[in-house]
Amino acid sequence: VADWFKGRILVFDGVTHQPINTIPTGKTPTGVAIRADGSRIYIANRDENVVSVIKPATGKTLSKIRVGNHPFAVGLTPNGKQLYALNVLSHDVSVIDIRRNRTIKTIKVGQAPYGVAFSPDGKRAYITNQHSESVSVIDTATRRVSQAWPIGAYPEGIATHENRVVVVNWMDDNVRVLDAASGKTLATVDVGKNPRGYGAFIGSP
């Protein structure tokens, strides 16, 4: 769990929910991503414009990767080879090669990118753009935006499930379900006031 104000992440036991450890990060940690084997943690440090690479076994910061302006969300591609960092104030996405710990591509998207999700096959990345009220679809092979879908007021959280994309619209008070190929709205679910979603919030039982 990222602790924005104290510059650290908190580690909890997943069964007992008891605290296990605290690990220092950079300034204002936000997005967190973890390798499938648990060997590395990636943290977006918003006010430093870097992504920290941390070895959880020791709590040591191994590297700080320079990205765009105010990184917020981070997401690992399904094959585990690249990390996407969303830069809210430079309106772009930094694509990081995690083997070399460096940014290999910067992709312009909409205004204030906030959330990221990937198709199960890893061929597409879906980015919510808060101020553009859209979803940018990135072809992960070419690293270019292939489509932009209008979505609603202040989209934030985004997740994929099979052939669906699910988006939480903060100012529209709803959750939108989209066809993952076309962006067509399949359902709109009214929820409470000002819903917010973050991280991978959709999954199978």
Side-chain angles (χ1 to χ4, degrees):
V1 179
D3 185 343
W4 172 292
F5 294 104
K6 293 186 178 180
R8 62 182 183 171
I9 53 174
L10 311 175
V11 185
F12 294 87
D13 185 290
V15 176
T16 67
H17 303 165
Q18 294 301 306
I20 297 173
N21 195 12
T22 61
I23 301 174
T25 64
K27 295 179 181 178
T28 54
T30 52
V32 180
I34 304 173
R35 277 194 199 175
D37 63 5
S39 64
R40 297 290 184 274
I41 303 172
Y42 301 91
I43 309 288
N45 296 302
R46 195 197 70 162
D47 291 347
E48 287 189 66
N49 299 332
V50 299
V51 171
S52 294
V53 183
I54 294 172
K55 186 176 181 179
T58 62
K60 182 180 179 181
T61 297
L62 303 177
S63 179
K64 288 191 173 183
I65 305 165
R66 180 64 54 181
V67 291
N69 196 0
H70 281 212
F72 197 79
V74 289
L76 279 164
T77 55
N79 64 12
K81 293 182 178 180
Q82 295 175 351
L83 182 83
Y84 280 46
L86 278 60
N87 306 306
V88 174
L89 293 189
S90 52
H91 316 300
D92 53 28
V93 175
S94 299
V95 182
I96 297 166
D97 182 333
I98 66 169
R99 293 169 298 178
R100 293 179 285 173
N101 283 342
R102 70 180 184 88
T103 298
I104 55 174
K105 179 76 174 182
T106 300
I107 305 169
K108 278 290 181 184
V109 288
Q111 298 289 303
Y114 185 89
V116 57
F118 296 93
S119 60
D121 61 10
K123 293 182 178 180
R124 286 180 163 194
Y126 302 93
I127 311 291
T128 51
N129 305 300
Q130 269 192 344
H131 298 171
S132 296
E133 301 187 345
S134 67
V135 171
S136 293
V137 183
I138 296 174
D139 182 317
T140 58
T142 64
R143 302 190 190 109
R144 294 181 178 179
V145 175
S146 59
Q147 299 179 63
W149 301 334
I151 189 62
Y154 269 59
E156 287 203 342
I158 187 165
T160 58
H161 182 61
E162 297 176 350
N163 60 348
R164 303 286 187 265
V165 176
V166 182
V167 180
V168 180
N169 289 313
W170 182 14
M171 292 299 174
D172 275 347
D173 303 336
N174 65 34
V175 174
R176 195 87 68 88
V177 182
L178 310 177
D179 177 83
S182 67
K184 178 182 177 181
T185 297
L186 303 176
T188 300
V189 184
D190 293 328
V191 293
K193 189 171 179 61
N194 299 144
R196 308 189 76 172
Y198 196 60
F201 56 86
I202 296 293
S204 297

